[in-house]
Amino acid sequence: MELHGPNVLYLKPSTKWFVILGGQLRSAFVALLVVATGLAWLLGDAAESAAILAVLTLTVAFGFITELRARRAVDALRALQVQRTTVVRDGKLAEIDARELVPGDIINLEAGYSIPADARIIRASELRAAEAELTGESTAVVKDSDDVLPARTPLPDRRNMVYLGTSVVAGTGRAVVTATGTSTEVGKIGVMVTQVPFERTAMERRLDMLGRQLGFLALGVGALVAAIAVLRGVDLNTVIRTGIAVAIAAVPEGLPAVVTIAMAIGVHRMARRHAIVRRLPTIESIGSTTVVCTDKTGTLTQGDMCVTRLAIGSRDIRVGEHGTPRQGQLLESGVPVEASDPDVAAALRIASLANRAEATKTAGDWEVVGDPTDAALLSLAANAGVDRDALLQQWPEIGDLPFSSERMMMATWHRSPDGRIVAKVKGSPVNILALCDKVVSSHGTVPLDDSGRGAVLSRNDELASAGLRVLALAQGVVADAGENDLRGLTLVGLAGMVDSAAPGVDETIRLLRDAGIRTVMLTGDQRRTAEAVAVNLGIIDADGAIALDGADVDAMTATELAQRVRQVAAFSRVSPEAKLRIVTAFQDQGEIVAMLGDGVNDAPALRKSDVGVAMGRHGTDAAREAADVVLSDDRFSTVGSAVEEGRVIFDNVQKFTFYLFSCNLAEILVLLGAGLFALPLPLLPLQILWLNLVTDTFPAFVLAFEPADVDVMRRPPRDPRTAILSRRMLQRVFGYSTLIALCVLAAFLLGLREVPGDVRYAVTMAFMTLAFGQLFHLGNARSRAAVISPRRALANPLAIGAVALVIALQVLAVKLQPLADLLDIVPLSPAGWAAVVGFGLVPGIAGQAIKLLAARDKALVSASGAAVSGRNSHA
């Protein structure tokens, strides 16, 4: 142990809390708020400083808590470590602490045994291991000590090895430890997870870019306003207060809070649709997804085997409504086949008797427990009406031959009612054929000649090409219940089984395709199976997409892989390293990648992807902790729901970002206009802060509840590089901001004229006009179409409530004296109120009129085009 160290998964320590906190303080928005807080404090304005500090604290605290949770991705890997293990030392079995294992130790393997390290099998008897968590394969893997495999054999094909984190499901054996701790396959995965850097989401990057742009804007406008004030001979204290006002006006303090609230609303809605979001900014990334990389077993499929076809002679019998243990009726050319059909009945009896699964009937449904292959065959027989217990009473079992990798078959011997010994056998078609001299055909049971053997093998290839695992079913009267007596059997038929697609998968793939999102399958299965599943689910279709083997991926450089991934829709025999490289290759192509998985082998790719999605019920702890989203129902269709919610959230984020920036830019333009025209300061810093945190925030908040557009899942994904505020939206922001600012300056000038010498009255009019102008501008932000119709206006009732609330708060600000003193405003005359409401309505009315005119022009153009098309068609 001194040489190799203890058998422990040494993983990279979690990031320290103060490092995470420091990362939050590097945000551009946070930096602007810090500067504004410090300046307000230095000028002795404690109220302004405290208000900004409160916003700053909430923003940083939320980001810190959510990121701290997301950094725990590798902790669950430690749960895979076994505490105690049985080894052979000094020729005797001894139980030791698993941490003391070293390479060279011999471990004992038994059913139910959790493997404590990677080991090479030196002796095996009917040994099978469950490796789904590591390789993704749903069926138990037969283990053999005699295999000599090439050095680069893919992990799922290494039949002579067992691995840490997997378990023995049947048989016994012994193995020599070859790797411990972080040298094991699971340990290597843990190292990969820790080496994947923690990357910010697209939303976080976009908001940070906006923050930097606002910072430059604030500096530029602040410097301009200050320069104008200095040229006018204004005292330094006023210049600084003006600069603070501009800085506060430039920063939409409510934006981080509203984004957080919108994300929280999305989390709640997604949770109702069974998608649990672990990190809020991920929601926007879900909506931006362009590629969905998904594991197959347990994700696209149910993770269990299901018989779908029976080939008896030239007959092709299909099992309808497969996909669950409750298999449907038997159909031949679409016509139901009775289980009493002699040939079918013979096949069902073999499936039921040559079996070690157990079936119990509960509330009318069969519940089958056992090896997936046995469970699939027993489920088929049970649901066709074959009672195994009744069969065993008529045909009592007198012996059995367990399945082994050498024989590739299993058999049971039964005493028939007339006293003869009958063998029921299932296994590899090639191996079973060697034991048979007769075959069931459309002409009854006939001798099996070379032509007949060729026909059987041809049917086997046909089924295998459809991605089915094929077993042969045979029976015969034998001399004794022994392996050497298994000869002269009759081949009854072939059973084709598949790991059934999960409900709703194909519909979801079509939904994602309509939304411009590619689905790419990553599986540990053989290439032929991967291709068949991908074709059946619609992942591979006529668009030229192909399948690629993991060995090919391993042989490619990063550049070559990045060039190939655009044409590949399914990857087979992929290792955890290959999955990680594939996700990275898509990202290098500018794609936003969502990765779905449930096993330990998926953890690195889940961590690397833009959106890691894990299964909640059957997924491993390692996968769940590495993921950003956990599906509580384990349904692939939930991914489609999550993408839809993500798109709706981004649409709404755009709406309230447009709204807040229009309001903030209007404030800046008011201050800039006043400076250019040598007017007194029309807005005070605390008034702007009130507008940003109260008047603007409530209307912006309700925009998070706007319903989805009808085409939300019928439009292509956004370009991942697209800013939240596009060029066209920025033009609209500037146009509305200018209109609002002109109305506010007009009200300010009117106030100066109405009450000469009282700047506070004019400031109050400007303050109230800006509040109402921004409030009625809400209708322009809710939709690109007009919202004046009752149906559209009431589509989001909270918007009406927000308008009423803000009006009440603004009236309260004037009427409640302590609050009025804090904001430095005074009561208005009836004429003043009329002017405020009139000027405040102008932006809203103008915006709705513009939208109505645009809709009318669009309708006219459309009608004109239809008319021209009609005339041309008629001509």
Side-chain angles (χ1 to χ4, degrees):
M1 194 161 70
E2 294 179 2
L3 177 62
H4 298 281
N7 181 31
V8 176
L9 293 179
Y10 287 109
L11 303 175
K12 183 179 178 180
S14 300
T15 305
K16 300 298 183 182
W17 66 268
F18 52 82
V19 176
I20 298 175
L21 182 61
Q24 295 297 316
L25 295 176
R26 288 195 295 270
S27 166
F29 268 113
V30 169
L32 288 172
L33 292 176
V34 168
V35 171
T37 302
L39 289 174
W41 179 262
L42 290 175
L43 290 175
D45 201 329
E48 291 177 16
S49 180
I52 302 173
L53 183 61
V55 175
L56 171 64
T57 302
L58 290 174
T59 301
V60 172
F62 171 77
F64 171 73
I65 292 171
T66 54
E67 186 168 334
L68 183 64
R69 289 184 60 197
R71 295 276 183 168
R72 298 172 179 168
V74 300
D75 292 345
L77 288 171
R78 296 187 175 92
L80 295 173
Q81 298 183 118
V82 180
Q83 301 302 314
R84 306 286 295 178
T85 188
T86 302
V87 299
V88 179
R89 288 190 174 174
D90 299 325
K92 298 179 181 179
L93 293 178
E95 187 177 87
I96 65 169
D97 189 324
R99 291 176 297 182
E100 298 176 5
L101 275 178
V102 295
D105 268 330
I106 296 176
I107 56 177
N108 201 51
L109 305 176
E110 297 178 358
Y113 183 88
S114 295
I115 310 298
D118 291 1
R120 170 73 159 82
I121 297 169
I122 56 177
R123 190 176 74 193
S125 176
E126 318 298 343
L127 186 65
R128 283 182 287 173
E131 298 180 344
E133 292 184 345
L134 186 61
T135 67
E137 288 197 355
S138 58
T139 57
V141 180
V142 176
K143 296 297 181 178
D144 192 336
S145 61
D146 297 332
D147 288 339
V148 178
L149 303 173
R152 297 181 63 84
T153 301
L155 190 145
D157 294 333
R158 299 174 194 169
R159 308 298 187 187
N160 56 1
M161 293 288 296
V162 289
Y163 300 97
L164 170 66
T166 64
S167 59
V168 178
V169 296
T172 61
R174 288 188 179 178
V176 58
V177 174
T178 58
T180 58
T182 51
S183 297
T184 63
E185 295 297 330
V186 168
K188 294 174 184 177
I189 292 173
V191 171
M192 279 192 289
V193 171
T194 60
Q195 290 176 343
V196 175
F198 186 87
E199 297 180 357
R200 309 184 76 194
T201 66
M203 173 65 80
E204 290 172 314
R205 294 193 294 270
R206 288 185 179 111
L207 287 176
D208 207 35
M209 181 176 68
L210 282 176
R212 290 193 296 271
Q213 292 171 343
L214 284 174
F216 290 126
L217 179 63
L219 289 173
V221 176
L224 178 60
V225 172
I228 294 172
V230 170
L231 292 175
R232 289 171 49 209
V234 178
D235 63 277
L236 181 62
N237 188 61
T238 302
V239 171
I240 295 177
R241 283 178 63 82
T242 302
I244 292 177
V246 171
I248 294 175
V251 181
E253 290 86 356
L255 183 59
V258 175
V259 170
T260 298
I261 292 169
M263 297 296 182
I265 293 168
V267 166
H268 177 67
R269 287 205 299 246
M270 285 191 181
R272 288 190 300 178
R273 300 178 78 169
H274 307 291
I276 310 302
V277 179
R278 301 180 65 247
R279 186 166 177 251
L280 292 189
T282 305
I283 294 176
E284 189 272 337
S285 296
I286 296 173
S288 304
T289 297
T290 59
V291 174
V292 172
C293 292
T294 175
D295 182 34
K296 178 185 76 70
T297 304
T299 306
L300 297 177
T301 64
Q302 298 186 80
D304 57 10
M305 302 299 291
C306 180
V307 177
T308 61
R309 293 172 70 177
L310 286 175
I312 301 176
S314 60
R315 301 172 66 182
D316 186 8
I317 300 172
R318 298 177 183 255
V319 184
E321 299 178 2
H322 61 83
T324 71
R326 298 182 298 280
Q327 303 190 47
Q329 64 183 157
L330 304 176
L331 303 171
E332 185 175 5
S333 300
V335 178
V337 177
E338 297 296 330
S340 58
D341 178 291
D343 295 339
V344 173
L348 294 176
R349 283 195 296 268
I350 298 170
S352 182
L353 294 175
N355 203 302
R356 283 294 172 259
E358 295 291 336
T360 56
K361 199 167 189 177
T362 306
D365 290 331
W366 286 102
E367 185 172 326
V368 183
V369 178
D371 175 83
T373 300
D374 281 355
L377 290 168
L378 186 57
S379 177
L380 171 72
N383 284 284
V386 177
D387 187 332
R388 185 166 186 259
D389 292 335
L391 273 180
L392 287 173
Q393 289 180 357
Q394 297 177 10
W395 302 70
E397 184 178 313
I398 59 174
D400 73 305
L401 182 67
F403 182 89
S404 74
S405 57
E406 294 87 359
R407 288 185 293 266
M408 294 298 291
M409 67 178 182
M410 79 158 290
T412 55
W413 286 273
H414 303 267
R415 183 75 64 183
S416 69
D418 59 7
R420 293 183 298 174
I421 299 175
V422 178
K424 306 288 185 180
V425 187
K426 74 169 189 290
S428 161
V430 174
N431 292 46
I432 298 298
L433 271 176
L435 307 176
C436 297
D437 59 15
K438 295 178 288 294
V439 63
V440 172
S441 72
S442 56
H443 304 292
T445 301
V446 299
L448 185 61
D449 54 18
D450 291 342
S451 175
R453 294 178 190 277
V456 172
L457 292 175
S458 178
R459 293 297 300 277
N460 173 58
D461 290 341
E462 175 194 340
L463 295 176
S465 296
L468 303 180
R469 182 185 181 192
V470 186
L471 290 180
L473 306 175
Q475 64 181 3
V477 177
V478 296
D480 199 0
E483 182 176 0
N484 294 331
D485 295 294
L486 286 175
R487 56 181 181 270
L489 304 180
T490 299
L491 180 69
V492 175
L494 304 176
M497 59 187 68
V498 67
D499 187 358
S500 308
V505 168
D506 50 352
E507 293 91 343
T508 302
I509 290 172
R510 285 196 298 270
L511 175 70
L512 294 176
R513 184 184 293 115
D514 291 342
I517 301 171
R518 290 185 60 202
T519 301
V520 177
M521 185 176 73
L522 313 180
T523 178
D525 281 329
Q526 299 284 351
R527 181 169 182 168
R528 176 177 289 180
T529 302
E531 288 177 338
V533 171
V535 170
N536 290 337
L537 294 177
I539 296 174
I540 293 180
D541 52 24
D543 64 1
I546 60 173
L548 195 66
D549 197 72
D552 299 325
V553 173
D554 295 339
M556 291 181 184
T557 66
T559 302
E560 291 172 337
L561 182 59
Q563 293 172 347
R564 287 293 304 277
V565 290
R566 290 187 179 276
Q567 290 80 41
V568 180
F571 292 87
S572 60
R573 277 294 190 252
V574 285
S575 63
E577 295 90 343
K579 290 184 179 182
L580 181 60
R581 292 189 66 213
I582 291 165
V583 169
T584 303
F586 277 117
Q587 291 174 326
D588 290 343
Q589 291 291 317
E591 307 284 359
I592 299 295
V593 182
M595 171 69 196
L596 280 76
D598 57 1
V600 176
N601 59 326
D602 299 313
L606 287 169
R607 177 69 176 272
K608 173 62 179 174
S609 63
D610 299 282
V611 186
V613 184
M615 299 300 165
R617 291 181 179 177
H618 301 107
T620 61
D621 288 341
R624 286 192 290 267
E625 288 300 322
D628 304 295
V629 180
V630 177
L631 304 184
S632 61
D633 60 355
D634 281 10
R635 291 172 62 91
F636 183 73
S637 57
T638 304
V639 175
S641 302
V643 170
E644 180 180 355
E645 291 292 348
R647 289 190 172 191
V648 171
I649 288 169
F650 184 81
D651 286 351
N652 291 343
V653 166
Q654 277 193 317
K655 291 173 183 177
F656 60 64
T657 303
F658 163 76
Y659 176 74
L660 288 175
F661 273 65
S662 301
C663 296
N664 282 71
L665 184 57
E667 294 163 4
I668 292 174
L669 293 177
V670 167
L671 296 173
L672 182 58
L676 290 173
F677 292 100
L679 296 174
L681 193 64
L683 296 169
L684 302 178
L686 196 57
Q687 293 172 352
I688 297 174
L689 198 61
W690 168 274
L691 290 171
N692 289 355
L693 295 180
V694 179
T695 308
D696 295 350
T697 301
F698 287 115
F701 165 71
V702 302
L703 289 173
F705 293 90
E706 283 295 311
D709 295 332
V710 293
D711 66 339
V712 68
M713 289 300 286
R714 293 198 298 271
R715 62 191 187 212
R718 298 181 313 278
D719 186 333
R721 296 162 294 186
T722 301
I724 294 178
L725 293 177
S726 63
R727 178 176 298 180
R728 182 178 178 184
M729 191 172 290
L730 284 172
Q731 292 172 348
R732 294 172 58 217
V733 165
F734 185 78
Y736 284 115
S737 299
T738 302
L739 183 58
I740 294 171
L742 290 174
C743 292
V744 173
L745 289 172
F748 183 62
L749 291 171
L750 184 62
L752 290 174
R753 191 177 68 177
E754 184 177 340
V755 184
D758 188 355
V759 177
R760 293 177 66 200
Y761 186 87
V763 168
T764 302
M765 284 195 65
F767 171 65
M768 298 302 291
T769 300
L770 184 55
F772 282 103
Q774 293 175 345
L775 180 62
F776 297 129
H777 174 51
L778 178 65
N780 301 326
R782 288 183 60 188
S783 172
R784 291 188 178 182
V787 294
I788 58 176
S789 67
R791 184 189 63 82
R792 186 62 186 87
L794 296 176
N796 182 3
L798 290 176
I800 308 300
V803 170
L805 175 63
V806 171
I807 290 175
L809 288 172
Q810 288 302 119
V811 172
L812 185 66
V814 176
K815 298 296 184 181
L816 189 63
Q817 197 57 47
L819 185 55
D821 292 340
L822 180 65
L823 294 174
D824 201 13
I825 56 178
V826 297
L828 297 176
S829 66
W833 276 111
V836 164
V837 174
F839 282 122
L841 283 170
V842 169
I845 293 173
Q848 295 303 297
I850 292 171
K851 291 175 185 291
L852 287 172
L853 290 173
R856 187 196 66 177
D857 292 343
K858 184 177 181 180
L860 289 174
V861 170
S862 177
S864 175
V868 171
S869 175
R871 288 196 298 271
N872 292 338
S873 176
H874 180 70

